[in-house]
Amino acid sequence: MKKVIVIAFLFFPIVLLITGMKNKSSEDDQYRQPDLKKSMIAGEKVFKKYCISCHQADGGGVPNLNPPLIQTSFVLGNKDTLITIVLNGLKNVDVDNESYNNPMPALESVLKDQEIADVLTYVRNSFGNKASAVAMVEVKGVRSKTK
């Protein structure tokens, strides 16, 4: 009986540590960077449904109407700015010294946070772009500030 108590006493802290780590990691999941491959696949679907008609299949946009998504300061720059554009839309914008006049509609009531994160991750990693992924928690944070 003493052996059982000693063994339980020795292993109890390990069990607590493991379960504590498990709970901590599940809490931290929302702050981790998304699975890039999964996000890219989902983001491509969103892009094809909502973005392709203006920004084109190659991300090249339409001169003087819709800006390109290829290596631009908007796409590769501050993620919060890019998230705000998707949420609130944009009109009459200069992108890297070129003017574009076709208004982009606000998509805040159309797309969920995860969809925005996925499509922006897709755009930031397609068309020759290489930039960090956008996490849902980042979109959620910007959305809460813009309401």
Side-chain angles (χ1 to χ4, degrees), residues 3-18:
K3 283 184 181 180
V4 173
I5 292 171
V6 170
I7 291 172
F9 182 74
L10 290 174
F11 286 105
F12 185 71
I14 295 170
V15 171
L16 282 179
L17 182 63
I18 291 170

Side-chain angles (χ1 to χ4, degrees), residues 96-125:
D96 299 335
N97 299 317
E98 295 287 330
S99 294
Y100 299 92
N101 300 311
N102 191 23
M104 179 175 160
L107 297 171
E108 56 97 16
S109 63
V110 176
L111 297 177
K112 297 175 183 165
D113 293 343
Q114 187 63 58
E115 291 173 311
I116 293 171
D118 290 338
V119 75
L120 292 180
T121 295
Y122 172 76
V123 168
R124 287 170 56 88
N125 288 281

Side-chain angles (χ1 to χ4, degrees), residues 33-47:
Q33 284 298 315
D35 178 318
L36 185 62
K37 184 176 180 180
K38 183 178 174 184
S39 191
M40 290 286 290
I41 291 168
E44 183 179 21
K45 290 177 185 175
V46 174
F47 183 84

